[in-house]
Amino acid sequence: MQIEKLRGKGLDQLFESVLSLNNLEECYRFFDDLCTVNEIQSLAQRLEVARMLREGFTYHKIESETGASTATISRVKRCLNYGNDAYTMALERIQTEQTKE
């Protein structure tokens, strides 16, 4: 896990803060204060790239629909294949919640 090197009080505080958020509106407010617009867009873009890769879209289609570079797509694919399965976990949970609604 790459992030292990950063583990500590500051990162714990960040993650605890995210976990304390109760709804989508609170997330919007928190991330608006925490991140720049570009940082938020980059995070959202990576998650969308992960979703599209899992669904079998080509690099070309992902690049044209998301604006992500092939380097970003490759990095996300590497995480999907060799990472901590967190993209898959999150995307499956989102899908489960959406089917409940």
Side-chain angles (χ1 to χ4, degrees):
M1 201 184 299
Q2 297 174 22
I3 202 166
E4 276 300 318
K5 296 174 187 171
L6 303 176
R7 185 180 288 269
K9 184 179 176 182
L11 200 54
D12 286 352
Q13 178 178 260
L14 171 63
F15 293 154
E16 291 292 338
S17 296
V18 171
L19 290 171
S20 77
L21 302 172
N22 292 318
N23 55 48
L24 201 55
E25 183 57 34
E26 287 185 3
C27 286
Y28 270 94
R29 290 173 44 212
F30 180 74
F31 281 93
D32 187 35
D33 285 351
L34 182 68
C35 301
T36 66
V37 170
N38 288 339
E39 290 168 335
I40 294 167
Q41 287 174 326
S42 292
L43 294 170
Q45 181 187 65
R46 289 181 196 147
L47 189 58
E48 179 62 5
V49 167
R51 183 194 65 78
M52 292 179 78
L53 284 168
R54 289 186 69 234
E55 291 181 10
F57 287 87
T58 65
Y59 272 42
H60 179 71
K61 182 73 170 173
I62 295 168
E63 189 177 16
S64 66
E65 285 197 18
T66 67
S69 68
T70 55
T72 295
I73 298 168
S74 294
R75 183 181 184 287
V76 172
K77 185 173 184 176
R78 188 171 44 254
C79 288
L80 284 170
N81 292 333
Y82 305 109
N84 300 303
D85 297 322
Y87 277 123
T88 299
M89 176 187 63
L91 290 167
E92 286 177 355
R93 287 180 182 172
I94 291 168
Q95 187 176 30
T96 299
E97 285 300 313
Q98 288 173 344
T99 57
K100 286 180 184 178
E101 294 173 357

mmCIF file of all heavy atoms in Angstrom, residues 40-73:
data_model
loop_
_atom_site.group_PDB
_atom_site.id
_atom_site.type_symbol
_atom_site.label_atom_id
_atom_site.label_comp_id
_atom_site.label_asym_id
_atom_site.label_seq_id
_atom_site.Cartn_x
_atom_site.Cartn_y
_atom_site.Cartn_z
ATOM 1 N N ILE A 40 -10.624 18.338 -7.361
ATOM 2 C CA ILE A 40 -11.895 17.614 -7.292
ATOM 3 C C ILE A 40 -12.208 16.973 -8.635
ATOM 4 O O ILE A 40 -12.610 15.798 -8.702
ATOM 5 C CB ILE A 40 -13.036 18.555 -6.840
ATOM 6 C CG1 ILE A 40 -12.798 19.024 -5.401
ATOM 7 C CG2 ILE A 40 -14.392 17.860 -6.962
ATOM 8 C CD1 ILE A 40 -13.675 20.175 -4.977
ATOM 9 N N GLN A 41 -12.002 17.725 -9.709
ATOM 10 C CA GLN A 41 -12.256 17.182 -11.047
ATOM 11 C C GLN A 41 -11.360 15.988 -11.342
ATOM 12 O O GLN A 41 -11.798 15.005 -11.931
ATOM 13 C CB GLN A 41 -12.067 18.267 -12.109
ATOM 14 C CG GLN A 41 -13.183 19.285 -12.124
ATOM 15 C CD GLN A 41 -12.910 20.436 -13.083
ATOM 16 O OE1 GLN A 41 -11.771 20.856 -13.264
ATOM 17 N NE2 GLN A 41 -13.963 20.940 -13.697
ATOM 18 N N SER A 42 -10.107 16.052 -10.924
ATOM 19 C CA SER A 42 -9.176 14.941 -11.145
ATOM 20 C C SER A 42 -9.611 13.689 -10.403
ATOM 21 O O SER A 42 -9.551 12.582 -10.951
ATOM 22 C CB SER A 42 -7.760 15.326 -10.703
ATOM 23 O OG SER A 42 -7.234 16.317 -11.536
ATOM 24 N N LEU A 43 -10.046 13.846 -9.170
ATOM 25 C CA LEU A 43 -10.515 12.697 -8.396
ATOM 26 C C LEU A 43 -11.757 12.078 -9.036
ATOM 27 O O LEU A 43 -11.840 10.849 -9.198
ATOM 28 C CB LEU A 43 -10.823 13.118 -6.951
ATOM 29 C CG LEU A 43 -9.639 13.565 -6.108
ATOM 30 C CD1 LEU A 43 -10.129 14.176 -4.798
ATOM 31 C CD2 LEU A 43 -8.685 12.418 -5.855
ATOM 32 N N ALA A 44 -12.691 12.922 -9.411
ATOM 33 C CA ALA A 44 -13.917 12.431 -10.050
ATOM 34 C C ALA A 44 -13.606 11.762 -11.384
ATOM 35 O O ALA A 44 -14.196 10.719 -11.718
ATOM 36 C CB ALA A 44 -14.906 13.584 -10.239
ATOM 37 N N GLN A 45 -12.672 12.336 -12.117
ATOM 38 C CA GLN A 45 -12.290 11.776 -13.412
ATOM 39 C C GLN A 45 -11.695 10.376 -13.241
ATOM 40 O O GLN A 45 -12.028 9.449 -13.979
ATOM 41 C CB GLN A 45 -11.279 12.689 -14.097
ATOM 42 C CG GLN A 45 -10.825 12.215 -15.465
ATOM 43 C CD GLN A 45 -9.708 13.084 -16.010
ATOM 44 O OE1 GLN A 45 -8.612 13.111 -15.444
ATOM 45 N NE2 GLN A 45 -10.006 13.811 -17.081
ATOM 46 N N ARG A 46 -10.830 10.189 -12.260
ATOM 47 C CA ARG A 46 -10.221 8.879 -12.029
ATOM 48 C C ARG A 46 -11.267 7.829 -11.683
ATOM 49 O O ARG A 46 -11.189 6.690 -12.149
ATOM 50 C CB ARG A 46 -9.176 8.960 -10.917
ATOM 51 C CG ARG A 46 -7.944 9.703 -11.331
ATOM 52 C CD ARG A 46 -6.932 9.738 -10.211
ATOM 53 N NE ARG A 46 -5.942 10.760 -10.512
ATOM 54 C CZ ARG A 46 -5.328 11.485 -9.593
ATOM 55 N NH1 ARG A 46 -5.581 11.303 -8.328
ATOM 56 N NH2 ARG A 46 -4.454 12.398 -9.958
ATOM 57 N N LEU A 47 -12.238 8.213 -10.887
ATOM 58 C CA LEU A 47 -13.292 7.256 -10.542
ATOM 59 C C LEU A 47 -14.117 6.891 -11.769
ATOM 60 O O LEU A 47 -14.460 5.726 -11.973
ATOM 61 C CB LEU A 47 -14.183 7.835 -9.435
ATOM 62 C CG LEU A 47 -15.190 6.870 -8.835
ATOM 63 C CD1 LEU A 47 -14.510 5.645 -8.240
ATOM 64 C CD2 LEU A 47 -16.024 7.570 -7.781
ATOM 65 N N GLU A 48 -14.405 7.864 -12.607
ATOM 66 C CA GLU A 48 -15.140 7.597 -13.847
ATOM 67 C C GLU A 48 -14.323 6.714 -14.781
ATOM 68 O O GLU A 48 -14.858 5.799 -15.415
ATOM 69 C CB GLU A 48 -15.539 8.901 -14.531
ATOM 70 C CG GLU A 48 -16.290 8.729 -15.830
ATOM 71 C CD GLU A 48 -17.630 7.998 -15.715
ATOM 72 O OE1 GLU A 48 -18.079 7.669 -14.601
ATOM 73 O OE2 GLU A 48 -18.229 7.739 -16.772
ATOM 74 N N VAL A 49 -13.027 6.957 -14.871
ATOM 75 C CA VAL A 49 -12.151 6.104 -15.681
ATOM 76 C C VAL A 49 -12.203 4.665 -15.151
ATOM 77 O O VAL A 49 -12.322 3.716 -15.934
ATOM 78 C CB VAL A 49 -10.702 6.651 -15.686
ATOM 79 C CG1 VAL A 49 -9.725 5.610 -16.237
ATOM 80 C CG2 VAL A 49 -10.625 7.943 -16.486
ATOM 81 N N ALA A 50 -12.151 4.501 -13.849
ATOM 82 C CA ALA A 50 -12.224 3.160 -13.256
ATOM 83 C C ALA A 50 -13.543 2.473 -13.610
ATOM 84 O O ALA A 50 -13.559 1.299 -13.981
ATOM 85 C CB ALA A 50 -12.058 3.239 -11.737
ATOM 86 N N ARG A 51 -14.628 3.209 -13.517
ATOM 87 C CA ARG A 51 -15.936 2.639 -13.863
ATOM 88 C C ARG A 51 -15.951 2.185 -15.316
ATOM 89 O O ARG A 51 -16.379 1.068 -15.627
ATOM 90 C CB ARG A 51 -17.060 3.657 -13.626
ATOM 91 C CG ARG A 51 -18.463 3.089 -13.909
ATOM 92 C CD ARG A 51 -19.514 4.180 -14.002
ATOM 93 N NE ARG A 51 -19.318 5.073 -15.132
ATOM 94 C CZ ARG A 51 -19.639 4.765 -16.400
ATOM 95 N NH1 ARG A 51 -20.141 3.588 -16.711
ATOM 96 N NH2 ARG A 51 -19.439 5.654 -17.371
ATOM 97 N N MET A 52 -15.467 3.026 -16.189
ATOM 98 C CA MET A 52 -15.484 2.703 -17.616
ATOM 99 C C MET A 52 -14.551 1.532 -17.946
ATOM 100 O O MET A 52 -14.903 0.667 -18.757
ATOM 101 C CB MET A 52 -15.127 3.938 -18.440
ATOM 102 C CG MET A 52 -16.196 5.025 -18.362
ATOM 103 S SD MET A 52 -15.785 6.511 -19.316
ATOM 104 C CE MET A 52 -16.177 5.920 -20.974
ATOM 105 N N LEU A 53 -13.385 1.480 -17.306
ATOM 106 C CA LEU A 53 -12.493 0.341 -17.511
ATOM 107 C C LEU A 53 -13.152 -0.958 -17.065
ATOM 108 O O LEU A 53 -13.081 -1.972 -17.765
ATOM 109 C CB LEU A 53 -11.171 0.546 -16.759
ATOM 110 C CG LEU A 53 -10.180 1.518 -17.379
ATOM 111 C CD1 LEU A 53 -9.056 1.849 -16.393
ATOM 112 C CD2 LEU A 53 -9.597 0.945 -18.675
ATOM 113 N N ARG A 54 -13.800 -0.924 -15.919
ATOM 114 C CA ARG A 54 -14.480 -2.120 -15.410
ATOM 115 C C ARG A 54 -15.587 -2.578 -16.356
ATOM 116 O O ARG A 54 -15.883 -3.761 -16.440
ATOM 117 C CB ARG A 54 -15.068 -1.860 -14.024
ATOM 118 C CG ARG A 54 -14.012 -1.733 -12.945
ATOM 119 C CD ARG A 54 -14.594 -1.630 -11.556
ATOM 120 N NE ARG A 54 -15.194 -2.899 -11.187
ATOM 121 C CZ ARG A 54 -16.450 -3.048 -10.770
ATOM 122 N NH1 ARG A 54 -17.250 -2.016 -10.653
ATOM 123 N NH2 ARG A 54 -16.909 -4.231 -10.442
ATOM 124 N N GLU A 55 -16.186 -1.623 -17.047
ATOM 125 C CA GLU A 55 -17.266 -1.957 -17.970
ATOM 126 C C GLU A 55 -16.749 -2.298 -19.367
ATOM 127 O O GLU A 55 -17.543 -2.552 -20.270
ATOM 128 C CB GLU A 55 -18.282 -0.812 -18.023
ATOM 129 C CG GLU A 55 -19.051 -0.665 -16.723
ATOM 130 C CD GLU A 55 -20.085 0.445 -16.749
ATOM 131 O OE1 GLU A 55 -20.355 1.010 -17.833
ATOM 132 O OE2 GLU A 55 -20.616 0.755 -15.664
ATOM 133 N N GLY A 56 -15.431 -2.292 -19.550
ATOM 134 C CA GLY A 56 -14.841 -2.749 -20.793
ATOM 135 C C GLY A 56 -14.680 -1.717 -21.894
ATOM 136 O O GLY A 56 -14.421 -2.078 -23.045
ATOM 137 N N PHE A 57 -14.795 -0.440 -21.570
ATOM 138 C CA PHE A 57 -14.599 0.598 -22.576
ATOM 139 C C PHE A 57 -13.141 0.644 -23.015
ATOM 140 O O PHE A 57 -12.237 0.335 -22.232
ATOM 141 C CB PHE A 57 -15.004 1.978 -22.033
ATOM 142 C CG PHE A 57 -16.478 2.170 -21.887
ATOM 143 C CD1 PHE A 57 -17.141 1.793 -20.724
ATOM 144 C CD2 PHE A 57 -17.226 2.743 -22.911
ATOM 145 C CE1 PHE A 57 -18.505 1.976 -20.579
ATOM 146 C CE2 PHE A 57 -18.590 2.934 -22.778
ATOM 147 C CZ PHE A 57 -19.228 2.548 -21.614
ATOM 148 N N THR A 58 -12.904 1.045 -24.253
ATOM 149 C CA THR A 58 -11.546 1.175 -24.776
ATOM 150 C C THR A 58 -10.901 2.451 -24.252
ATOM 151 O O THR A 58 -11.590 3.395 -23.845
ATOM 152 C CB THR A 58 -11.547 1.231 -26.316
ATOM 153 O OG1 THR A 58 -12.231 2.431 -26.726
ATOM 154 C CG2 THR A 58 -12.198 0.005 -26.922
ATOM 155 N N TYR A 59 -9.564 2.479 -24.310
ATOM 156 C CA TYR A 59 -8.833 3.683 -23.923
ATOM 157 C C TYR A 59 -9.324 4.875 -24.738
ATOM 158 O O TYR A 59 -9.517 5.965 -24.205
ATOM 159 C CB TYR A 59 -7.329 3.507 -24.154
ATOM 160 C CG TYR A 59 -6.566 2.902 -23.010
ATOM 161 C CD1 TYR A 59 -7.060 1.836 -22.274
ATOM 162 C CD2 TYR A 59 -5.312 3.388 -22.673
ATOM 163 C CE1 TYR A 59 -6.336 1.284 -21.240
ATOM 164 C CE2 TYR A 59 -4.582 2.836 -21.637
ATOM 165 C CZ TYR A 59 -5.093 1.784 -20.928
ATOM 166 O OH TYR A 59 -4.368 1.242 -19.898
ATOM 167 N N HIS A 60 -9.508 4.673 -26.034
ATOM 168 C CA HIS A 60 -9.939 5.767 -26.904
ATOM 169 C C HIS A 60 -11.283 6.337 -26.455
ATOM 170 O O HIS A 60 -11.458 7.550 -26.367
ATOM 171 C CB HIS A 60 -10.013 5.295 -28.360
ATOM 172 C CG HIS A 60 -10.478 6.357 -29.302
ATOM 173 N ND1 HIS A 60 -9.697 7.439 -29.643
ATOM 174 C CD2 HIS A 60 -11.662 6.521 -29.941
ATOM 175 C CE1 HIS A 60 -10.375 8.225 -30.456
ATOM 176 N NE2 HIS A 60 -11.573 7.693 -30.659
ATOM 177 N N LYS A 61 -12.237 5.463 -26.158
ATOM 178 C CA LYS A 61 -13.567 5.907 -25.728
ATOM 179 C C LYS A 61 -13.471 6.635 -24.382
ATOM 180 O O LYS A 61 -14.097 7.681 -24.182
ATOM 181 C CB LYS A 61 -14.505 4.704 -25.630
ATOM 182 C CG LYS A 61 -15.920 5.044 -25.238
ATOM 183 C CD LYS A 61 -16.656 5.711 -26.355
ATOM 184 C CE LYS A 61 -18.134 5.815 -26.023
ATOM 185 N NZ LYS A 61 -18.851 6.604 -27.011
ATOM 186 N N ILE A 62 -12.682 6.077 -23.458
ATOM 187 C CA ILE A 62 -12.520 6.707 -22.137
ATOM 188 C C ILE A 62 -11.870 8.079 -22.273
ATOM 189 O O ILE A 62 -12.321 9.053 -21.661
ATOM 190 C CB ILE A 62 -11.688 5.802 -21.205
ATOM 191 C CG1 ILE A 62 -12.441 4.496 -20.927
ATOM 192 C CG2 ILE A 62 -11.350 6.522 -19.910
ATOM 193 C CD1 ILE A 62 -11.600 3.427 -20.257
ATOM 194 N N GLU A 63 -10.841 8.146 -23.096
ATOM 195 C CA GLU A 63 -10.139 9.416 -23.324
ATOM 196 C C GLU A 63 -11.076 10.462 -23.904
ATOM 197 O O GLU A 63 -11.105 11.616 -23.444
ATOM 198 C CB GLU A 63 -8.959 9.171 -24.262
ATOM 199 C CG GLU A 63 -8.018 10.330 -24.422
ATOM 200 C CD GLU A 63 -6.829 9.984 -25.299
ATOM 201 O OE1 GLU A 63 -6.865 8.967 -26.028
ATOM 202 O OE2 GLU A 63 -5.858 10.760 -25.265
ATOM 203 N N SER A 64 -11.891 10.067 -24.870
ATOM 204 C CA SER A 64 -12.777 11.037 -25.512
ATOM 205 C C SER A 64 -13.934 11.454 -24.605
ATOM 206 O O SER A 64 -14.361 12.592 -24.636
ATOM 207 C CB SER A 64 -13.297 10.503 -26.845
ATOM 208 O OG SER A 64 -14.135 9.401 -26.661
ATOM 209 N N GLU A 65 -14.426 10.558 -23.768
ATOM 210 C CA GLU A 65 -15.566 10.896 -22.900
ATOM 211 C C GLU A 65 -15.168 11.610 -21.621
ATOM 212 O O GLU A 65 -15.936 12.404 -21.094
ATOM 213 C CB GLU A 65 -16.369 9.636 -22.569
ATOM 214 C CG GLU A 65 -17.208 9.164 -23.728
ATOM 215 C CD GLU A 65 -18.304 8.197 -23.321
ATOM 216 O OE1 GLU A 65 -18.661 8.134 -22.121
ATOM 217 O OE2 GLU A 65 -18.813 7.511 -24.213
ATOM 218 N N THR A 66 -13.989 11.302 -21.092
ATOM 219 C CA THR A 66 -13.593 11.884 -19.802
ATOM 220 C C THR A 66 -12.539 12.975 -19.920
ATOM 221 O O THR A 66 -12.367 13.756 -18.989
ATOM 222 C CB THR A 66 -13.034 10.801 -18.857
ATOM 223 O OG1 THR A 66 -11.791 10.315 -19.392
ATOM 224 C CG2 THR A 66 -14.018 9.667 -18.654
ATOM 225 N N GLY A 67 -11.812 12.976 -21.032
ATOM 226 C CA GLY A 67 -10.704 13.906 -21.175
ATOM 227 C C GLY A 67 -9.448 13.451 -20.451
ATOM 228 O O GLY A 67 -8.453 14.178 -20.410
ATOM 229 N N ALA A 68 -9.477 12.255 -19.896
ATOM 230 C CA ALA A 68 -8.311 11.724 -19.185
ATOM 231 C C ALA A 68 -7.210 11.370 -20.175
ATOM 232 O O ALA A 68 -7.482 10.911 -21.285
ATOM 233 C CB ALA A 68 -8.698 10.482 -18.384
ATOM 234 N N SER A 69 -5.985 11.584 -19.759
ATOM 235 C CA SER A 69 -4.852 11.203 -20.594
ATOM 236 C C SER A 69 -4.679 9.690 -20.559
ATOM 237 O O SER A 69 -5.166 9.010 -19.641
ATOM 238 C CB SER A 69 -3.574 11.869 -20.077
ATOM 239 O OG SER A 69 -3.220 11.328 -18.813
ATOM 240 N N THR A 70 -3.958 9.175 -21.541
ATOM 241 C CA THR A 70 -3.697 7.736 -21.537
ATOM 242 C C THR A 70 -2.852 7.350 -20.322
ATOM 243 O O THR A 70 -2.985 6.238 -19.807
ATOM 244 C CB THR A 70 -3.007 7.280 -22.842
ATOM 245 O OG1 THR A 70 -1.829 8.050 -23.040
ATOM 246 C CG2 THR A 70 -3.929 7.437 -24.037
ATOM 247 N N ALA A 71 -2.025 8.254 -19.834
ATOM 248 C CA ALA A 71 -1.233 7.985 -18.630
ATOM 249 C C ALA A 71 -2.146 7.808 -17.416
ATOM 250 O O ALA A 71 -1.941 6.891 -16.602
ATOM 251 C CB ALA A 71 -0.233 9.110 -18.380
ATOM 252 N N THR A 72 -3.159 8.664 -17.301
ATOM 253 C CA THR A 72 -4.113 8.540 -16.192
ATOM 254 C C THR A 72 -4.901 7.245 -16.320
ATOM 255 O O THR A 72 -5.097 6.522 -15.337
ATOM 256 C CB THR A 72 -5.067 9.749 -16.162
ATOM 257 O OG1 THR A 72 -4.302 10.922 -15.880
ATOM 258 C CG2 THR A 72 -6.151 9.584 -15.114
ATOM 259 N N ILE A 73 -5.345 6.933 -17.520
ATOM 260 C CA ILE A 73 -6.101 5.699 -17.739
ATOM 261 C C ILE A 73 -5.243 4.486 -17.378
ATOM 262 O O ILE A 73 -5.715 3.569 -16.693
ATOM 263 C CB ILE A 73 -6.611 5.624 -19.193
ATOM 264 C CG1 ILE A 73 -7.554 6.786 -19.494
ATOM 265 C CG2 ILE A 73 -7.297 4.281 -19.452
ATOM 266 C CD1 ILE A 73 -7.880 6.980 -20.976
#
